[in-house]
Amino acid sequence: MIPLLLVLLLALILFGAGFALKILWWVAIIVLVLWLVGFVARPKGGSGRWYRW
């Protein structure tokens, strides 16, 4: 019974990780686009950074 539960748990983890990784790829692409837009649209006389990190 325990091996069956472990296999089911592993399948659920792999399915969840695959779904999460797909979402993370889209989030990474959106962040990259926002960073590029901020890099292009930065102020000329400022410190060169448009964000406050």
Side-chain angles (χ1 to χ4, degrees):
M1 184 70 177
I2 291 178
L4 181 63
L5 289 175
L6 289 176
V7 170
L8 180 62
L9 182 62
L10 181 63
L12 287 173
I13 288 172
L14 290 176
F15 176 75
F19 184 72
L21 287 176
K22 192 170 189 175
I23 297 258
L24 286 176
W25 271 110
W26 283 109
V27 169
I29 290 171
I30 291 170
V31 168
L32 178 65
V33 167
L34 288 175
W35 180 78
L36 287 173
V37 167
F39 184 74
V40 171
R42 67 182 176 190
K44 301 287 187 226
S47 64
R49 290 189 300 172
W50 62 278
Y51 50 86
R52 294 178 180 246
W53 289 351

